[in-house]
Amino acid sequence: MRVSMADVAERAGVSAQTVSRVANGSPRVDPGTRARVEQAMADLGYRMHRAARALRTGQTSTIGLVVSTLASVGNSRMLQAISEAAAAGDYALAVVTVGERGIRDAFARLRSQGVDGAVVLNEATELARDVAPPADLHLVVVDSRPDARFSIVQTDHAGGARAATAHLLSLGHEHVHHLAGPVGSFAAAERERGWREALADAGIEAPAPVRGDWTSASGHRAADALQSASAVFVANDQMALGALRAFADAGRRIPEDVAVVGFDDIVDAAEYRPPLTTVRQDFDVLGARAVAALISAIEGNAPSVEAVPTRLVVRASSVPS
């Protein structure tokens, strides 16, 4: 016998409308009530029928993800986090990459799949700002400058970079150099801003940053220009890996000759040689907040802006020498 929404409501002691909100992933349910309803769903084996919901609400319960590339660790981690958050809300996920035809084509492909809205990820956000999105496609952008048209969810990149730079200065280094991310990246710009602010607070003039493209290979190449540095804040862990190799190739010891701090805290950061001090981004929280903001937008709520805090994780690459 098929379990109904009314059965779940009776079991949880709530209204059918509250069950519907939980089933649709609405953020407008307090955590205690949500947990009670989800437990009742699990106990009764209830699952929302996607086709029936589409007929009743005019929504497909499918959301999209627009991304420039899935080659970077951060983007692949966000894909996993958004996929899990969507599944928890009983939403399907359609993923499109921005190819040669541009972001308008990506939006068109999503609309052809009948998505209710989409999350636009990292590098693709600047492209989304340059076009008028379809009026019937709700958007949430991850990492973006302010834009009244969208909800924005972002990491506190600048705060994390300030903490990383202040940590290196606290170890007695007179200067902290920066291996920065690519021009045009919001995250790279915010991390560079935080580095500059921490140096300014200490009365230190910022040296010219050296720039990479997020890859380990670019970090290895860029580190050639940093061989005289005693402390380097690197804009992501992948470039930090390349920098560590470049310093080792030049006979420089970590951290005795040069201290290194990265950003992201990717899964393998603790396995680098030496283990890498880094700024941890909570990709799971970012993904969950992005999906919640998108569901809120689909329900007709006003755009919002939310920043997710970071945390400095100190390991052997920056211990006092």
Side-chain angles (χ1 to χ4, degrees), residues 176-238:
V176 176
H177 291 255
H178 184 37
L179 202 170
V183 173
S185 164
F186 173 84
E190 285 294 284
R191 294 171 195 181
E192 182 176 334
R193 177 170 71 86
W195 164 71
R196 290 183 181 278
E197 288 176 351
L199 293 181
D201 289 345
I204 299 171
E205 183 177 355
V210 178
R211 206 166 293 280
D213 63 8
W214 298 130
T215 65
S216 299
S218 75
H220 186 274
R221 290 190 299 270
D224 287 342
L226 297 169
Q227 292 295 345
S228 64
S230 69
V232 181
F233 165 52
V234 186
N236 79 333
D237 291 348
Q238 286 177 285

Side-chain angles (χ1 to χ4, degrees), residues 52-191:
R53 181 160 61 185
L55 288 172
R56 186 175 65 255
T57 66
Q59 298 175 354
T60 63
S61 299
T62 300
I63 60 175
L65 176 66
V66 181
V67 62
S68 291
T69 177
L70 290 171
S72 69
V73 172
N75 283 1
S76 62
R77 289 282 303 276
M78 281 299 295
L79 169 60
Q80 179 178 350
I82 289 170
S83 177
E84 291 174 353
D90 202 25
Y91 276 77
L93 181 67
V95 180
V96 297
T97 55
V98 179
E100 294 180 357
R101 296 183 179 180
I103 198 161
R104 282 191 177 87
D105 178 71
F107 287 153
R109 280 181 281 151
L110 286 177
R111 291 183 71 193
S112 71
Q113 297 180 61
V115 303
D116 300 325
V119 177
V120 184
L121 194 58
N122 299 344
E123 295 88 348
T125 60
E126 284 300 305
L127 302 176
R129 291 169 56 86
D130 294 337
V131 303
D136 58 348
L137 185 64
H138 301 283
L139 295 180
V140 169
V141 297
V142 176
D143 284 348
S144 173
R145 292 178 285 124
D147 193 314
R149 298 174 297 170
F150 316 128
S151 286
I152 297 172
V153 178
Q154 60 196 35
T155 291
D156 181 11
H157 300 284
R162 283 195 298 271
T165 307
H167 164 68
L168 290 168
L169 292 173
S170 74
L171 300 177
H173 298 285
E174 295 183 0
H175 299 282
V176 176
H177 291 255
H178 184 37
L179 202 170
V183 173
S185 164
F186 173 84
E190 285 294 284
R191 294 171 195 181

